[in-house]
Amino acid sequence: MQYMLLIHGDEVKMNAATPAGASMSPDYAAFNEAMGKAGVIIGGERLRPTTEAVSVRVAGDKTEVLDGPYAETKEQLGGYYVIDVPDMDQAIAWAARCPAARNGTIEVRPVWPTR
Amino acid sequence: MSRDEASQTAERVARESYGRLVAYLAARTRDVAGAEDALAEAFATALRMWPAEGVPQNPDAWLLTVARRRQTDAARRRHTRTAGEAHLQLMADEIDDAAQNPDEIPDRRLALMFACAHPAIERGMRAPLILQTILGLTAQDIASAFLISPATMGQRLVRAKGRIKDAGIPFNIPDREALPERLDAVLEAIYAAYAKGWGEIDGAGAPLAEEAIWLGRLVVSLLPTEPEAKGMLALMLYAEARRAARRDPNGAYVPLDQQNTAHWDDWQIDMAETLLREANAAGPSGRYQIEAAIQSAHVARRRAGAPTWPAIAALYDHLYGLTQSPVVALNRAAAYAELEGPDAALALLDTLAADKRMADYQPYWAARGHLAARAGRKDDAHEALILAIGLSSDEAVRQYLYKQLEALRDG
């Protein structure tokens, strides 16, 4: 089954720790290696900060474009992984190993196959 | 009496009596969930009444009386047509008698533990079930310790309790013939809880380790002639005695061979040594006695410089023959590294490499990295250490492995 690990955290701190252009932190490099070796990783990327994001929605016949993410929260979505593991228990085990779990929150969502 | 004092008393009673009362209430009906509900209502009533009216002379008896009223009310609502009134009355009278002679409330906790660790209960659920029914831990706490979603843990606990009731799992202590195997399942469940608590050092782990030791003591006190129960309690105490020494003052991870033995807890080690002696005196050695003997040999080696590696390796040989467990194979290889060098140990690890479970088993890669570094196989060591870092969720362990990586680059 596929699961998405959504990495939520304080993006100001995250971006200060590894600014754009810096090489990947050793913790993440090791985590990626481990997922690759275990054959569970489907994909995943880091996301640029929410200051570079826009939110779009169509209300009636009017298209609204707003700066930043739609909802203000303390933690922002900073990256994601998609993994393929037999069950939720194992998805949780991988989330616990994700470096961001120590200072942020990893949301574990089963992928709902639609195709 | 203040509300605080009343709730403190209720908490103390809960800690000491929860399992005893659940076990007693559930023993006749085999309805663990019903017993827990009835007891929860009794505790809630106690919190309401005790601050105003004072704590009763015998809180256990008071709780049992209130809980059994709830339980028989609930049973009467459900079973009026199926179970005879006479039978219900008999049960109620029996519990009333017990409440009046509180010193004689029969201790059915062991029977409850055997029911929770029954072969018909899914193996992975036996430890959570014991933690909940005997200690009253919440599904949320258990879920965090076992890295499972709280909703899932809740459902699995409900299902397991349903199974005890529906499958007619008996509440009794197995007879002589079946006892060793069934006791093994109980010990395995308790040790699984301890292992969850041992893995974490500063997090939520330590309390779970204490709960497991408490359960271990309980089993030894209820089955004082069983050597394996003593062996397991000794094993947990040897590990627990070293807890403080596993971190240096900066919080960094310290492996066994570099621990300051002055920080080991003498009292717990002495207790473990006594238990192990008693266990071994009683007859042939089982798995936990062997593991405890290995820990005893480590203590002698580190404290008095006794040359115990050959004994440790021989004990691991024996243990591996008994369990065929990959975890034992890993520790056995580490022992052989001390006797015959890292290459011999790596050859032993190679036999494990085909086991798919090793792909995400952190201790395997940590051991591999450590041994390959000692053998001068730098590339292998580098790869294994990176994987061990990626698989670790413990910051101190990760920092320790980074240091090994650095030493590899510099050396």
Side-chain angles (χ1 to χ4, degrees), chain A residues 26-27 30 89 92 96-97 102, chain B residues 156 360 391 393 395 398 402:
Chain A
D27 280 354
D89 294 359
I92 292 173
R97 293 168 179 141
R102 273 157 268 153
Chain B
R156 288 181 192 170
D360 61 359
L391 290 169
S393 50
E395 185 60 28
R398 217 177 0 247
Y402 275 126

Side-chain angles (χ1 to χ4, degrees), chain A residues 25-35 37-38 88-90 92-94 96-99 102, chain B residues 147-149 152 156 359-362 365 383 385-387 389-395 398-399 402:
Chain A
S25 79
D27 280 354
Y28 269 104
F31 181 57
N32 290 344
E33 278 291 312
M35 285 201 292
K37 177 80 181 178
M88 179 56 116
D89 294 359
Q90 293 190 42
I92 292 173
W94 282 106
R97 293 168 179 141
C98 178
R102 273 157 268 153
Chain B
L147 283 184
I148 286 177
S149 100
T152 305
R156 288 181 192 170
D360 61 359
Y361 187 56
Q362 197 270 351
W365 294 105
E383 191 206 352
L385 287 171
I386 293 282
L387 290 172
I389 290 167
L391 290 169
S392 174
S393 50
D394 186 305
E395 185 60 28
R398 217 177 0 247
Q399 292 308 325
Y402 275 126

Side-chain angles (χ1 to χ4, degrees), chain A residues 10-72:
Chain A
D10 182 336
E11 66 180 7
V12 176
K13 281 186 194 151
M14 277 201 279
N15 295 329
T18 37
S23 57
M24 187 187 287
S25 79
D27 280 354
Y28 269 104
F31 181 57
N32 290 344
E33 278 291 312
M35 285 201 292
K37 177 80 181 178
V40 298
I41 188 163
I42 304 284
E45 290 294 350
R46 183 180 180 184
L47 300 177
R48 296 193 65 84
T50 53
T51 48
E52 296 178 34
V54 292
S55 296
V56 180
R57 68 171 186 183
V58 179
D61 53 2
K62 191 170 175 294
T63 302
E64 257 185 7
V65 180
L66 302 168
D67 283 328
Y70 194 75
E72 282 296 325

Side-chain angles (χ1 to χ4, degrees), chain B residues 90-238:
Chain B
L90 195 70
M91 260 173 58
D93 290 348
E94 211 171 82
I95 294 176
D96 271 347
D97 284 349
Q100 272 154 28
N101 306 299
D103 291 340
E104 289 159 33
I105 296 176
D107 194 341
R108 298 268 165 80
R109 281 177 295 183
L110 197 56
L112 177 57
M113 279 192 265
F114 276 111
C116 291
H118 192 274
I121 301 291
E122 193 194 332
R123 197 187 208 103
M125 280 311 293
R126 294 173 192 166
L129 205 51
I130 288 177
L131 289 170
Q132 179 151 78
T133 57
I134 303 289
L135 296 173
L137 262 57
T138 64
Q140 169 81 57
D141 289 341
I142 301 168
S144 290
F146 284 74
L147 283 184
I148 286 177
S149 100
T152 305
M153 179 56 84
Q155 285 160 7
R156 288 181 192 170
L157 283 165
V158 168
R159 211 181 308 141
K161 284 173 208 164
R163 200 155 170 78
I164 289 179
K165 195 170 156 195
D166 301 336
I169 289 174
F171 269 65
N172 60 20
I173 294 156
D175 57 30
R176 276 270 133 225
E177 216 158 279
L179 187 66
E181 206 185 326
R182 294 284 311 281
L183 178 61
D184 202 46
V186 172
L187 299 180
E188 183 186 290
I190 294 173
Y191 194 66
Y194 183 79
K196 293 285 173 195
W198 165 251
E200 300 194 9
I201 296 201
D202 33 13
L208 192 61
E210 280 167 27
E211 303 287 21
I213 288 175
W214 193 86
L215 287 170
R217 279 184 209 283
L218 180 64
V219 174
V220 168
S221 72
L222 296 173
L223 281 175
T225 58
E226 285 304 316
E228 272 292 84
K230 283 182 180 158
M232 187 199 58
L233 180 55
L235 177 60
M236 293 193 290
L237 289 170
Y238 279 122

Side-chain angles (χ1 to χ4, degrees), chain B residues 272-296:
Chain B
E273 302 267 62
T274 305
L275 281 162
L276 181 60
R277 258 197 312 278
E278 288 173 15
N280 286 345
S285 272
R287 177 199 148 187
Y288 292 108
Q289 286 159 270
I290 298 171
E291 289 200 52
I294 290 169
Q295 294 309 315
S296 178

